[in-house]
């Protein structure tokens, strides 16, 4: 098993069933398109080209609706996995977590880790993914209604 890099969590006011499609849409959007594909190809990610079961730089290795999604990949500088877990909370809403695992072999791997992990770039990117899923699924809180007072 790969070493743990970090775990990020967010509470969302929605059921796992409501979060699942937003998670899939957000992940596909983040790891598809010309820029992620070009980057994945440049660092020789396997896989580098998105398809039905892959994203730029990731293979979908686990997909258990609506509870777990695991992406794995490798490139010149790292072997890595990103796992998302959705769990209903007894008090309401759900907890969405993202766990990152990776190994960075050799001196080039160490430099890559410094640039991506130690810089905080990775953590900010994962938190942004979770925030996007949250925005796409949270039920808006209706504004407070105040009874109209009779005119004096």
């Amino acid at each position: 098993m790969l070493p743990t890099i970090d775990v990020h969590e967010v509470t969302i006011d929605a059921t796992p069933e409501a979060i699942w499609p937003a998670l899939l849409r957000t992940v596909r959007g983040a790891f598809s398109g010309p820029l992620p594909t070009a980057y994945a190809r440049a660092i020789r990610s396997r896989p580098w080209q998105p398809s039905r079961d892959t994203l730029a730089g990731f293979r979908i290795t686990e997909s258990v609706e609506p509870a777990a999604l695991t992406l794995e990949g490798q490139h010149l500088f790292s072997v890595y996995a990103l796992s998302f877990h959705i769990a209903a909370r007894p008090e309401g809403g759900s907890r969405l977590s993202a766990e990152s695992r990776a190994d960075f072999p050799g001196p080039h791997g160490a430099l890559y880790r410094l640039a991506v992990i130690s810089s905080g770039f990775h953590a900010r990117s994962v938190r942004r993914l979770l925030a996007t899923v949250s925005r796409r699924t949270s039920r808006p809180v209706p504004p407070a209604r105040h009874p109209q007072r009779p005119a004096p």
Side-chain angles (χ1 to χ4, degrees), residues 48-136:
W48 65 268
Q49 189 170 19
S51 70
R52 182 181 174 343
D53 297 324
T54 65
L55 304 167
F58 293 97
R59 284 181 314 284
I60 299 170
T61 58
E62 178 185 38
S63 180
V64 180
E65 183 178 352
L69 177 68
T70 300
L71 313 172
E72 296 179 355
Q74 64 183 53
H75 54 66
L76 291 172
F77 315 112
S78 179
V79 177
Y80 47 89
L82 177 58
S83 298
F84 297 93
H85 298 279
I86 306 169
R89 298 176 60 219
E91 60 273 20
S94 300
R95 170 79 59 195
L96 170 61
S97 65
E99 178 182 23
S100 302
R101 294 179 170 273
D103 186 31
F104 302 89
H108 293 107
L111 288 172
Y112 188 82
R113 180 187 178 105
L114 184 66
V116 175
I117 305 299
S118 299
S119 69
F121 176 78
H122 168 77
R124 284 189 305 275
S125 298
V126 172
R127 286 193 302 265
R128 190 177 317 119
L129 276 172
L130 296 178
T132 299
V133 174
S134 180
R135 275 193 313 276
R136 289 179 170 172

Side-chain angles (χ1 to χ4, degrees), residues 9-32:
E9 298 181 333
V10 64
T11 300
I12 301 174
D13 185 21
T15 65
E17 293 79 11
I19 295 168
W20 182 257
L23 173 62
L24 293 179
R25 193 169 86 221
T26 301
V27 167
R28 282 225 178 259
F31 301 113
S32 297

